[in-house]
Amino acid sequence: MGIFQPFRAIGYIPSGVPFSIQRLGTETFITVSEGKAFQAYNCAKLILVLFSAQFPHKMRTLASYLDFTSVVYAAHICVFKRAHQVATWSRHSGKVNSLMVFGDHVISVDVDGNLFILGFKGVEENYAPVWHILMGNKFTPTCMMHLDTYLNKVLIGSQEGGLQLWNFSTKKMLFEVKRWGLSVTSCVSSPALDVVAVGCSDGKIRVHNTRYDEEVVTFTHSMPGALTALSFATDGQPLLASGGSSGVISIWNLEKRKLQSVVREAHDSSIISLHFSANEPALMSSSADNSIKVRSISASAYVLNNE
């Protein structure tokens, strides 16, 4: 056995895992995967404030809630209070590809269509499985989101091109959208009730009303490739940001239903995550090029990378 053990990768900022944003008091923090560990930055100046020990395998996804971070590697879900591991849960048999914190619950979905809901009250002894749903053979989950005012419900996108809305309390599927026939690669809820944006492998964005099962508007991303990230503005502006495998970020005006601007050299590789800051015109992005960037709507504010 060697004297030195792996601890932290120098100059490694984000990997290909989407980041997680959480607000504590007046400060906002971003938690990112750096492969076999996670680290957290203060969003005000992108200063590193926390990093974890390394895991046996690369992380697949993560989600944060208050001081707690849930991470997934292989089929295991590990819970950390700041940098200290407090729980491990290994009910999944397949690889977990989506994880979401929803109120007092952590929701996880694996490639075999198993959805598990875990009760989470913020203390270690209350972290326990509550519900299990099997979504069926012809539905391979790819992304997951919660819509405001939809009590105990999650909307899940699939590789087969559909969406399913599930009530995890009753374990019933409420409705399904099948019409696109292309893999759903990204999905996000909007500030408007019942409205979601769905990104597909053909580069199109479908803004959809779930209550009436109607398409509001369809946009086509400015560069070829799959849609990989979406985010709605929350400061009152009718804007939707989209990022794709080409590294380009597009800003869409939902009121005028047209493209407002394009950041052509946003990143040198595929966009992994996008997030509009709460109540301010700032857009945060991460990429497989190992960088996190924060921009105003019109110009870059500051950059963190390993250059």
Side-chain angles (χ1 to χ4, degrees):
M1 182 176 179
I3 296 174
F4 300 104
Q5 297 295 320
F7 179 60
R8 180 167 174 254
I10 303 300
Y12 196 0
I13 311 303
S15 67
V17 174
F19 57 57
S20 178
I21 302 289
Q22 68 270 20
R23 192 168 180 85
L24 297 174
T26 60
E27 296 184 301
T28 303
F29 298 88
I30 175 174
T31 304
V32 299
S33 164
E34 60 156 34
K36 292 184 178 181
F38 69 84
Q39 48 195 21
Y41 294 88
N42 187 310
C43 289
K45 294 185 178 179
L46 289 180
I47 296 174
L48 180 65
V49 295
L50 177 71
F51 54 87
S52 72
Q54 291 200 347
F55 312 128
H57 305 280
K58 286 186 177 182
M59 292 172 55
R60 294 183 58 82
T61 186
L62 62 85
S64 300
Y65 174 72
L66 299 178
D67 286 332
F68 292 84
T69 301
S70 300
V71 305
V72 173
Y73 64 85
H76 308 290
I77 301 173
C78 297
V79 184
F80 289 78
K81 186 173 184 179
R82 294 186 63 81
H84 303 287
Q85 187 171 340
V86 295
T88 302
W89 192 71
S90 304
R91 181 69 65 87
H92 286 279
S93 57
K95 291 183 177 180
V96 179
N97 57 9
S98 294
L99 189 71
M100 182 178 71
V101 177
F102 172 43
D104 294 332
H105 300 91
V106 174
I107 303 175
S108 59
V109 179
D110 64 33
V111 294
D112 297 326
N114 291 290
L115 187 149
F116 286 97
I117 299 94
L118 295 84
F120 182 68
K121 300 292 184 181
V123 290
E124 297 84 301
E125 60 267 22
N126 287 339
Y127 191 84
V130 178
W131 293 290
H132 168 246
I133 296 171
L134 181 60
M135 287 181 284
N137 297 328
K138 295 183 179 180
F139 191 88
T140 307
T142 55
C143 59
M144 176 171 51
M145 63 179 158
H146 166 68
L147 287 78
D148 289 342
T149 74
Y150 281 52
L151 183 64
N152 297 332
K153 299 177 183 68
V154 290
L155 189 64
I156 303 170
S158 74
Q159 186 174 316
E160 289 75 18
L163 294 171
Q164 290 184 356
L165 181 69
W166 283 84
N167 184 319
F168 58 76
S169 179
T170 62
K171 300 184 181 181
K172 292 183 179 180
M173 184 179 70
L174 303 181
F175 78 82
E176 183 174 17
V177 179
K178 298 181 179 180
R179 63 178 60 116
W180 299 314
L182 294 161
S183 177
V184 174
T185 53
S186 180
C187 57
V188 64
S189 61
S190 81
L193 293 181
D194 307 315
V195 176
V196 301
V198 179
C200 296
S201 57
D202 62 350
K204 289 188 177 181
I205 308 158
R206 278 90 175 179
V207 180
H208 197 78
N209 187 303
T210 56
R211 178 177 293 274
Y212 299 104
D213 192 14
E214 293 178 352
E215 211 157 286
V216 179
V217 63
T218 299
F219 299 121
T220 301
H221 204 247
S222 56
M223 298 294 286
L227 255 294
T228 53
L230 295 165
S231 180
F232 283 97
T234 58
D235 63 345
Q237 297 189 68
L239 300 178
L240 170 65
S242 64
S245 54
S246 62
V248 172
I249 295 176
S250 298
I251 309 295
W252 307 90
N253 189 308
L254 299 169
E255 199 170 74
K256 297 180 179 179
R257 301 193 175 193
K258 68 177 185 178
L259 182 66
Q260 177 158 310
S261 61
V262 177
V263 186
R264 297 195 179 277
E265 297 181 357
H267 287 278
D268 295 329
S269 189
S270 177
I271 307 294
I272 302 301
S273 301
L274 290 172
H275 176 77
F276 274 104
S277 299
N279 302 317
E280 59 179 303
L283 178 65
M284 181 174 295
S285 61
S286 72
S287 167
D289 66 4
N290 191 32
S291 69
I292 304 169
K293 300 183 181 182
V294 181
R295 293 181 172 85
S296 67
I297 295 301
S298 58
S300 178
Y302 40 86
V303 179
L304 170 66
N305 58 25
N306 66 338
E307 295 179 349

